[in-house]
Amino acid sequence: MTTGVGSVSPASSCPAVAKGGAGRITARRNMIVPGLCCAAPWVCIGLVVFAVACRLRLLLAAQSYWYDEAYLLINVKQEGLVELLAMMLRPQAAPPVYVWILRALYQILGMSECVMRLPAAIGGALSVILALPLSERLVGKPGSLWVLALSAASFHGLTLSNEVKPYAIDALLTETILFAGITYLAQDESVRRWGNSALAGLVCLGAVGAWVSYPAAYALAGVGVAWVVEAVRRRQRAVWLGLALYGCAVLLSWTSLWYLAARHQRTPELTTYWQRGFINISSAWSALATSMTILRKIGDYASTGLGIPLLLLVPVGWAVLARRGVAAPLMLVATLLFALLGSGLMLYPLDDRLTFFAAPLFWLSAAAAIAAIVERLVSPWGWLLVAGLLLLPAADLVRVVPVIWRGSYGPEFREAYQYFHTHRQRNDLVWQPFPEVYEIYHGLRWEGFNASVAPDQVVKESCGHRLWLITPPDHATSSFGPLARLQLCLMKAGWAVQTERRFRGLLVLLYEERGPAEVGISQFGNRSSCSCLDS
């Protein structure tokens, strides 16, 4: 009997253990697989509830914005709908529909943390919920258990669901497109009855998906590749007509998106900043080496420290899925290959949080491999292997639990600003490398210094005043960082720290000038005490 893309292997059900057995190996395997299958539904429900509750906990805790969120919010606060299409302030790139949603929320409900993070929180919760039917349709049971375990425990899946940025939405769109594609191209009759609805959904996703999430274009292209192969194999007119409609919607959407928005947001500043995320195509060896490095980093970001284990499991998962049908592994492989192509062409960097859209690709493929391994267990100690596999998400859980306990994880700008406003005097000056966060909380008029002002100029203009420094303590990763250079100038010009307060992820310093006797004229020659010596 042939199974299709959406079909479930025999081990996906929950059969009773045969009394007579079918040999020693089968008997031992049946000790493990049925029990795991029977427990899987309750475990999956528990994982979904856990993941959604964690996201709700962080959303309601309303931790302070950090600077990357503030960069986008400055645009949301100042720009109109048309202006948000073009090059943004504080170079940012974000899909138009997503920032339009943020703009609408801001105009209706204001700019509180809960309101601005609501789309990402909903997207993050829905991505975990959708992972259950998607994994059941793609890898069957108990494969869905492994997908949900990796998804629910993902540290970055949790934190990105609590940010203004669209990265949690990226993962949701990847899952949604794959789910619609697998449903439409399935061979199983119980799944194919949803074919018309899936076709309509795919056409709609093709028309607007990339406008909501830039990397959704890769999943749309991956589904298109699988669709072409299935159309050639089936030779059915309806499949070809659906493909033509889908292709027209996708191409029209991409063309208009590039012309109206994407080409304007692709700035040299962002290209330079994300340089590590582009594949080096100067030679075949460089392209291969950087591609493997990027793939490992995608796995590490999706599930903390699991880059190498996932890279080993993913190809095995593709092989397992290929035995059930062609379309499913083609979607996963093609989506990943198109993402690598986009990186090589310097269209979309694959680094850090920008890679989270690919996390479901890794989780689904690895789950197929793990489910196949568990299904073929022959050792009486198979439960120990199952327990070991369940420990794969442990590294993420170690990071997730303290965050949920505290209700926060990022720099606490609000408390630092509150301390500054409580203790500042009328003529005090302030320096900070990320004034955008201050502008979000205390108005758009910024009177102070930022990291772009030369340290010598900061010291000279601060003569006769007290100077506050509000900055992440690790902002200067070397002795040549902005904070380190400014502190060196202040020290050489005779300034001293009068107050030092630490907040989560932030350092607040108050500098005051010392008297001439303390500075020593001979130390600085004929320079003013407000001047910075050359290092």
Side-chain angles (χ1 to χ4, degrees), residues 5-282:
V5 176
S7 61
V8 179
S9 64
S12 302
S13 57
C14 184
V17 180
K19 293 182 179 180
R24 186 179 179 185
I25 293 178
T26 304
R28 288 178 176 175
R29 183 173 63 197
N30 287 344
M31 293 171 59
I32 300 169
V33 177
L36 187 61
C37 292
C38 292
W42 295 105
V43 176
C44 289
I45 292 173
L47 288 171
V48 170
V49 172
F50 169 76
V52 174
C54 288
R55 283 151 178 76
L56 182 62
R57 156 72 168 145
L58 285 188
L59 178 67
L60 296 180
Q63 71 170 14
S64 168
Y65 291 128
W66 69 298
Y67 48 86
D68 202 38
E69 293 177 292
Y71 294 158
L72 182 58
L73 289 176
I74 290 293
N75 290 277
V76 172
K77 193 172 184 179
Q78 289 186 279
E79 303 294 322
L81 297 182
V82 176
E83 289 79 6
L84 288 172
L85 283 172
M87 186 184 302
M88 295 187 176
L89 305 172
R90 280 78 167 181
Q92 287 286 295
V97 171
Y98 183 77
V99 291
W100 288 344
I101 292 173
L102 293 179
R103 175 70 179 179
L105 288 173
Y106 162 64
Q107 292 181 318
I108 298 171
L109 300 174
M111 193 163 276
S112 69
E113 292 86 353
C114 290
V115 171
M116 291 292 98
R117 291 179 178 138
L118 186 60
I122 293 175
L126 288 178
S127 69
V128 178
I129 295 172
L130 182 59
L132 180 56
L134 173 61
S135 58
E136 287 182 349
R137 186 156 295 178
L138 183 64
V139 302
K141 298 177 183 178
S144 56
L145 171 64
W146 310 104
V147 176
L148 277 176
L150 293 169
S151 176
S154 174
F155 174 77
H156 291 115
L158 174 65
T159 56
L160 295 180
S161 299
N162 193 52
E163 287 193 10
V164 176
K165 306 289 279 188
Y167 308 120
I169 304 292
D170 295 341
L172 174 63
L173 262 291
T174 297
E175 291 182 356
T176 304
I177 294 167
L178 291 176
F179 183 75
I182 290 170
T183 300
Y184 179 72
L185 297 177
Q187 293 293 303
D188 192 343
E189 292 298 330
S190 63
V191 177
R192 290 184 66 184
R193 60 193 177 94
W194 299 100
N196 291 334
S197 299
L199 175 60
L202 282 170
V203 173
C204 291
L205 288 168
V208 302
W211 287 76
V212 180
S213 164
Y214 282 146
Y218 299 133
L220 292 169
V223 170
V225 170
W227 204 331
V228 169
V229 173
E230 284 294 306
V232 172
R233 189 177 66 84
R234 297 186 191 181
R235 299 179 181 179
Q236 296 176 356
R237 183 180 178 184
V239 177
W240 280 109
L241 290 176
L243 177 61
L245 182 61
Y246 174 78
C248 290
V250 169
L251 291 177
L252 181 61
S253 173
W254 290 356
T255 303
S256 58
L257 178 62
W258 173 259
Y259 180 78
L260 294 174
R263 67 189 179 101
H264 301 296
Q265 296 182 11
R266 187 171 176 262
T267 63
E269 293 87 350
L270 288 177
T271 302
T272 302
Y273 181 82
W274 291 110
Q275 189 63 43
R276 295 181 309 169
F278 297 119
I279 295 175
N280 183 357
I281 58 174
S282 59

Side-chain angles (χ1 to χ4, degrees), residues 64-67 411-417 432 434 437 506:
S64 168
Y65 291 128
W66 69 298
Y67 48 86
E412 184 49 63
F413 280 93
R414 275 184 323 210
E415 292 180 4
Y417 292 148
Q432 59 172 327
F434 308 112
V437 187
L506 282 178

